[in-house]
Amino acid sequence: MLRTMNLKDRNKPIIFSMARLDRVKNMTGLVEMYGKNAHLKDLANLVIVAGDHGKESKDREEQAEFKRMYSLIEEYKLKGHIRWISAQMNRVRNGELYRYICDTKGAFAFYEAFGLTVIEAMTCGLPTIATCHGGPAEIIVNGVSGLHIDPYHSDKAADILVNFFEKCSEDPSYWDKMSEGGLKRIYEKYTWKLYSERLMTLTGVYGFWKYVSNLERRETRRYLEMFYALKYP
């Protein structure tokens, strides 16, 4: 089975990704991008966590993604280059996965426009390469705290990954720079402490404002939306 298949060269760094096996998560798109670029396959292995190999899915979309994944692995001869692990809900184990990839100087790649895993990976110090659309475009400062790729231009996305691993090979401090940049970004913008402080400020101001004002519900909602945008840019 693919989930237990060994990688041929375990000394190579790892491109890692973890998400549901839904079309919107575009895990098959990531596998196809990797498979098409022979140089990228030479530079790094691909490890993905998605789907459940232990039971057949009842979801038609997931069934289709399973079939596509197997087809891509065969088409691009990825056996020995890819490790496909079943998804699981053990957060401690997931955390260890991030740390292992980090310790082996790998990178996290994400091809979909939303996902908490981008922040999880950056929190572990793992250089993160994610889509230039949606949430990751705001989370990552391109070239500083990670790298942006465009899933609609897979050839260019693969080139960005190739360039990243080539730079890391030539200058190991480049990996450290990207890792530290991601951590700095998280500590500045995305910690629970920062979130809770903003939430408490929002709650306090709203409570006082509601007590002294007499606006209608629609006006209240517009005010809250404006204030939320100011506190959570």
Side-chain angles (χ1 to χ4, degrees):
M1 295 295 288
L2 289 168
R3 65 182 182 277
T4 58
M5 184 179 64
N6 291 326
L7 298 169
K8 287 181 181 178
D9 184 356
R10 300 184 69 174
N11 293 317
K12 290 193 293 187
I14 291 170
I15 302 168
F16 178 59
S17 195
M18 178 163 53
R20 296 192 313 273
L21 198 57
D22 298 340
R23 191 179 302 131
V24 70
K25 294 295 182 183
N26 205 13
M27 295 292 277
T28 52
L30 176 64
V31 172
E32 184 174 31
M33 179 272 290
Y34 174 79
K36 282 183 175 180
N37 194 297
H39 191 21
L40 185 56
K41 285 192 289 184
D42 289 339
L43 286 170
N45 293 314
L46 178 63
V47 173
I48 57 172
V49 177
D52 187 348
H53 298 277
K55 62 180 180 180
E56 185 176 352
S57 174
K58 296 180 180 179
D59 183 275
R60 290 186 177 180
E61 182 178 311
E62 189 175 45
Q63 290 173 1
E65 289 297 285
F66 258 103
K67 289 180 181 178
R68 177 164 166 73
M69 190 76 81
Y70 283 118
S71 175
L72 289 169
I73 290 169
E74 292 298 324
E75 179 180 355
Y76 295 107
K77 298 178 173 58
L78 295 182
K79 291 181 179 179
H81 297 280
I82 186 173
R83 180 77 183 269
W84 181 9
I85 303 170
S86 285
Q88 43 80 39
M89 300 303 293
N90 188 316
R91 292 187 174 274
V92 173
R93 189 176 299 169
N94 285 340
E96 288 301 311
L97 268 173
Y98 283 121
R99 286 306 313 163
Y100 175 79
I101 307 300
C102 195
D103 290 342
T104 56
K105 302 299 182 182
F108 183 82
F110 202 64
Y111 233 40
E112 189 255 341
F114 301 96
L116 183 61
T117 49
V118 170
I119 290 179
E120 289 177 346
M122 292 171 69
T123 301
C124 291
L126 189 58
T128 301
I129 302 160
T131 176
C132 59
H133 304 291
E138 298 179 7
I139 297 167
I140 294 171
V141 178
N142 189 41
V144 178
S145 54
L147 296 170
H148 288 156
I149 53 176
D150 189 340
Y152 296 107
H153 297 88
S154 61
D155 290 344
K156 290 182 179 179
D159 288 342
I160 289 171
L161 281 160
V162 165
N163 185 58
F164 170 79
F165 284 110
E166 285 182 336
K167 281 187 175 181
C168 290
S169 179
E170 295 167 5
D171 179 12
S173 68
Y174 179 71
W175 189 95
D176 295 329
K177 177 184 174 182
M178 297 302 292
S179 173
E180 291 166 5
L183 284 168
K184 186 172 184 287
R185 180 69 172 170
I186 293 298
Y187 293 148
E188 288 177 348
K189 295 286 185 180
Y190 297 103
T191 66
W192 281 114
K193 183 176 183 293
L194 288 172
Y195 186 90
S196 60
E197 286 174 351
R198 291 171 182 168
L199 183 61
M200 291 303 293
T201 300
L202 181 63
T203 303
V205 172
Y206 171 66
F208 175 77
W209 171 80
K210 185 178 180 182
Y211 178 76
V212 299
S213 67
N214 194 27
L215 295 178
E216 298 294 331
R217 175 173 290 186
R218 181 177 295 178
E219 295 170 312
T220 301
R221 180 167 182 172
R222 287 176 179 170
Y223 174 84
L224 283 174
E225 288 173 350
M226 177 197 70
F227 196 65
Y228 184 86
L230 289 172
K231 293 301 296 179
Y232 296 95

